[in-house]
Amino acid sequence: MNTENNEYDVCIIGAGLAGGVLAAYLGTNGKRVAVIEKLLIEQDGITGELLQPGGVEKLTEMKLEHLLEGIDAQKVDGYGLFLNKERIQLHYPQNTEKVFQGRGFRYGKFISSIRNYIRSLDNVTFIEGTVTDFIEDKEHIYGLKYTDKKTGTENFIHAPLTVACDGAFSIFRQKLSNATNVINSYFLGLVLKNVNLPYPNHGHVILAEPSPVLAYPISNNECRMLIDFPGQEIPKKSPELIAYLKEKIAPQLPEEILPAYFDAIEEGKFKVMPSQLVPAQATLKKGAVLLGDSLNMRHPLTGGGMTVALTDIYCIGQKLLGIDLNNAKQLHNIIQEYYELHHTNNATVNILADALYGVVKDPQLKIACFEYLKKGEDYYKEPISLLSAVNRELTTLLKHFLSVAFFGVNDNIKFPTPNNVGKAYTMIKNALEILNPLMLNENPDMVTKGALKVTESALKVTNSVTKTATNFTGRVTENAQKFKDGALKITSRVLE
Ligand SMILES: Cc1cc2nc3c(=O)[nH]c(=O)nc-3n(C[C@H](O)[C@H](O)[C@H](O)COP(=O)(O)OP(=O)(O)OC[C@H]3O[C@@H](n4cnc5c(N)ncnc54)[C@H](O)[C@@H]3O)c2cc1C
């Protein structure tokens, strides 16, 4: 196959956030890019509406922050956290040089802004069509096949690098990765209009029962609300669902937002999306990579998805600008490095998302987490820097995750009754059970991997010992009860 005279340097499948921004970055910097997108109409979805400050930083580093202009994007300064009737405000990090801010917007508008920009670039070709397959042999991918929307014909594009950015329901993931996806919950989305947010220009996390509710501004008069439904059952519009929203969720929300919340229920425009966990487990193949949700997904609770994709674009994009893409060996080294750096750069964002989701669903850990952050800026400063993705240090994440668990334990062993000691033990065990598999997903080094495997086995042993002890105690109690019943019968007969 001739790879010397390609018309393009890179061809990209999908012009969502990942494919669109990659085309913008490479195209602005002189690479010849083809992007094929199957849906050009602006989507009205519920995903990708809060960009964390770490993501804004990446756009700025790529000199693409102008993509956030003209879309009514709202500045986000931090978070409000709510538990029962209590609330706390957490500011995003700031230092003498910089105040870090996120942005809230309609994803469809952001994507339109990106697409309008790439259409304006001479060396980017934007095609409306559906990519059906790679052009490949056993070892190498040479480009793609697509069906053109206008003509209905099958066309081919050859390029040294093909990037699959076909999103959450990717069909190309299975060709370039061993990952399997797990659905942990569903988010039901509503738009609250003209709402009186308790903390304007902030994200809101309501630590509700059974799982969290999010709210954040997406335009100057709209706020997105996402209500989590744990498990695999899709929430469907029905009288029972409306009753649940009104009777179970409403009493747990801050009072200020209730009028807009009830209006949104009345309006009835509900949208639902699954929250998936897809670890990055790419298999190396020459000439192609996965990027964005097709490579890796985490729980949307912390709004990290776009930031991870932007981090990867800047990482691989810079490397691609530095080489001759027709040098197959150099290109393959870059693919390899990109996948390794994906973990180094994004492990904290990924682990935090699913670990925090585990914490806020655990009744004890949820309270411990709220009480820990409530202690003030010294306690919340680093955790919020991780959430904002400005700080990506894994040790900082581990320190605070374990501190929350031990903080809860401390509270319980102030009065070390057997019940409280049991609770403290369960809290540490649950915390480790949440953290361990997430750490293993992030390609840890051999020593860490060994330690994590030992912890995993220890947890299994503890669980089976606890189970056996519980069974044994159950049987002893059962036999004691039988003995007591027998003794009572004999006694009553003797008395007769
Ligand atoms: C409920 C929910 C809320 C979220 N909230 C946030 C948040 O607040 N902040 C955040 O950072 N992240 C959030 N995320 C994650 C975020 O939305 C994603 O990480 C991000 O949108 C991924 O972008 P992408 O380009 O990989 O995928 P997409 O934006 O889905 O783009 C994929 C594109 O590929 C196109 N395509 C697919 N197949 C083909 C094909 N065969 N041929 C041609 N084109 C094709 C699609 O039409 C689409 O345009 C959320 C996710 C969920 C589920």
Side-chain angles (χ1 to χ4, degrees):
M1 178 109 21
N2 175 18
T3 55
E4 297 295 309
N5 299 311
N6 293 308
E7 205 179 323
Y8 299 102
D9 296 314
V10 178
C11 58
I12 299 174
I13 307 169
L17 179 274
V21 175
L22 180 66
Y25 184 57
L26 295 177
T28 310
N29 291 288
K31 293 287 179 204
R32 296 162 307 159
V33 183
V35 194
I36 298 89
E37 167 56 50
K38 68 176 178 187
L39 279 174
L40 283 190
I41 192 160
E42 189 171 295
Q43 301 294 303
D44 178 21
I46 63 169
T47 67
E49 294 179 315
L50 196 164
L51 180 62
Q52 293 292 355
V56 177
E57 286 298 292
K58 288 295 155 202
L59 274 177
T60 311
E61 284 170 69
M62 292 188 273
K63 301 196 173 37
L64 291 172
E65 69 276 27
H66 59 85
L67 298 174
L68 290 166
E69 284 162 17
I71 59 168
D72 198 12
Q74 303 297 301
K75 293 202 165 134
V76 179
D77 297 319
Y79 270 83
L81 193 59
F82 300 75
L83 179 64
N84 302 326
K85 294 287 163 218
E86 279 194 273
R87 54 182 70 183
I88 45 177
Q89 187 176 10
L90 316 170
H91 302 282
Y92 277 145
Q94 37 188 294
N95 54 40
T96 43
E97 289 121 57
K98 204 154 201 170
V99 176
F100 291 99
Q101 283 181 317
R103 295 285 187 285
F105 43 72
R106 288 271 196 174
Y107 189 63
K109 287 208 180 316
F110 185 35
I111 299 304
S112 292
S113 160
I114 298 167
R115 290 177 181 176
N116 287 341
Y117 176 68
I118 57 179
R119 272 197 201 95
S120 76
L121 297 172
D122 285 342
N123 46 341
V124 177
T125 305
F126 196 2
I127 300 164
E128 189 172 12
T130 301
V131 180
T132 50
D133 211 344
F134 291 133
I135 304 167
E136 62 183 320
D137 61 25
K138 217 167 155 216
E139 287 186 355
H140 209 129
I141 290 170
Y142 301 96
L144 53 84
K145 300 175 196 171
Y146 72 95
T147 309
D148 190 279
K149 175 87 187 282
K150 278 196 200 99
T151 60
T153 52
E154 186 178 60
N155 296 339
F156 301 84
I157 289 181
H158 292 95
L161 182 66
T162 303
V163 187
C165 301
D166 57 333
F169 307 103
S170 169
I171 56 164
F172 293 98
R173 183 185 296 139
Q174 56 175 356
K175 290 197 169 224
L176 291 172
S177 163
N178 289 325
T180 46
N181 63 329
V182 179
I183 294 180
N184 282 318
S185 68
Y186 283 85
F187 260 133
L188 176 100
L190 303 171
V191 174
L192 273 51
K193 290 188 186 133
N194 301 315
V195 61
N196 180 15
L197 277 178
Y199 299 110
N201 293 94
H202 278 60
H204 294 62
V205 179
I206 298 122
L207 299 174
E209 204 36 61
S211 59
V213 177
L214 308 178
Y216 38 86
I218 53 169
S219 77
N220 66 7
N221 65 347
E222 292 167 312
C223 159
R224 167 69 63 206
M225 177 173 273
L226 293 177
I227 301 158
D228 187 67
F229 286 75
Q232 274 86 35
E233 202 178 319
I234 307 175
K236 295 215 177 87
K237 201 170 174 185
S238 64
E240 291 74 32
L241 178 69
I242 308 278
Y244 176 84
L245 295 176
K246 287 185 175 169
E247 288 155 28
K248 171 90 181 169
I249 298 297
Q252 304 187 68
L253 300 178
E255 269 178 29
E256 300 94 313
I257 66 175
L258 286 178
Y261 174 70
F262 286 121
D263 285 349
I265 295 177
E266 216 50 54
E267 202 184 355
K269 284 190 186 154
F270 299 169
K271 296 212 156 123
V272 174
M273 277 295 282
S275 305
Q276 305 186 59
L277 173 62
V278 180
Q281 286 171 354
T283 47
L284 276 177
K285 187 144 181 185
K286 288 184 183 135
V289 286
L290 296 167
L291 199 153
D293 279 5
S294 62
L295 171 66
N296 178 210
M297 295 179 73
R298 75 290 314 136
H299 200 281
L301 174 66
T302 52
M306 291 189 289
T307 295
V308 168
L310 293 171
T311 305
D312 281 353
I313 292 167
Y314 191 38
C315 171
I316 194 168
Q318 271 181 309
K319 291 178 188 298
L320 295 175
L321 295 181
I323 62 155
D324 169 7
L325 284 159
N326 286 312
N327 182 330
K329 191 159 183 285
Q330 272 189 354
L331 180 59
H332 195 59
N333 286 344
I334 284 180
I335 293 177
Q336 217 164 341
E337 273 179 63
Y338 154 69
Y339 282 137
E340 280 163 22
L341 285 170
H342 168 82
H343 291 288
T344 319
N345 294 336
N346 299 304
T348 46
V349 180
N350 282 342
I351 295 172
L352 179 68
D354 283 274
L356 199 58
Y357 184 64
V359 164
V360 299
K361 272 195 352 202
D362 181 300
Q364 283 178 278
L365 285 171
K366 174 167 81 179
I367 295 170
C369 180
F370 186 82
E371 293 298 327
Y372 181 83
L373 297 172
K374 202 174 91 180
K375 282 173 79 76
E377 200 176 344
D378 284 349
Y379 284 76
Y380 81 66
K381 206 161 83 185
E382 285 184 341
I384 194 82
S385 74
L386 294 165
L387 181 73
S388 66
V390 168
N391 176 354
R392 313 267 179 120
E393 280 170 18
L394 193 53
T395 45
T396 311
L397 172 60
L398 297 182
K399 180 178 94 183
H400 287 285
F401 186 83
L402 295 174
S403 299
V404 164
F406 283 110
F407 184 75
V409 166
N410 253 342
D411 244 19
N412 277 308
I413 53 180
K414 266 187 209 145
F415 307 102
T417 60
N419 191 23
N420 281 351
V421 173
K423 269 193 196 166
Y425 158 77
T426 311
M427 202 179 281
I428 291 288
K429 187 175 78 68
N430 290 353
L432 290 175
E433 275 177 348
I434 293 170
L435 193 63
N436 228 49
L438 298 174
M439 295 273 293
L440 278 166
N441 282 344
E442 297 300 331
N443 199 19
D445 59 50
M446 290 304 280
V447 178
T448 317
K449 199 172 184 169
L452 290 168
K453 289 267 177 211
V454 170
T455 315
E456 195 174 66
S457 311
L459 284 169
K460 273 192 195 139
V461 171
T462 333
N463 278 342
S464 85
V465 168
T466 316
K467 215 168 161 189
T468 315
T470 314
N471 282 345
F472 179 71
T473 320
R475 253 183 276 135
V476 169
T477 317
E478 202 181 308
N479 286 338
Q481 186 64 40
K482 278 186 195 153
F483 180 76
K484 192 177 126 201
D485 291 347
L488 278 175
K489 267 189 204 147
I490 293 168
T491 316
S492 56
R493 253 188 243 144
V494 170
L495 286 176
E496 273 168 20

